[in-house]
Amino acid sequence: MAEEQKGKAKAEQAKGKAKETIGRAVGNERLTAEGKAEQSKGDARQAKEKTKDVFKH
């Protein structure tokens, strides 16, 4: 389960980065903001999983 969540976090970060990059390229501030938000969500999910790993071991 933890590996699945880590994979989701990485995918969310990558998707967010792509949205942010595209948003900047076309000058769409909303898309850029959505991308940053997705990256942050992925970062938070990844941090949560790392914390869970620390307490498992």
Side-chain angles (χ1 to χ4, degrees), residues 35-46:
K36 286 182 180 183
E38 280 192 42
Q39 285 182 65
S40 294
K41 189 175 173 185
D43 291 343
R45 185 183 301 236
Q46 188 174 35

Side-chain angles (χ1 to χ4, degrees), residues 3-32:
E3 293 301 317
E4 180 182 324
Q5 292 299 319
K6 287 179 185 177
K8 283 183 182 180
K10 290 284 186 189
E12 212 161 33
Q13 289 169 328
K15 185 178 170 186
K17 184 66 174 172
K19 273 188 177 182
E20 181 184 2
T21 301
I22 292 168
R24 283 188 180 169
V26 299
N28 186 329
E29 290 180 24
R30 183 175 151 252
L31 191 59
T32 302

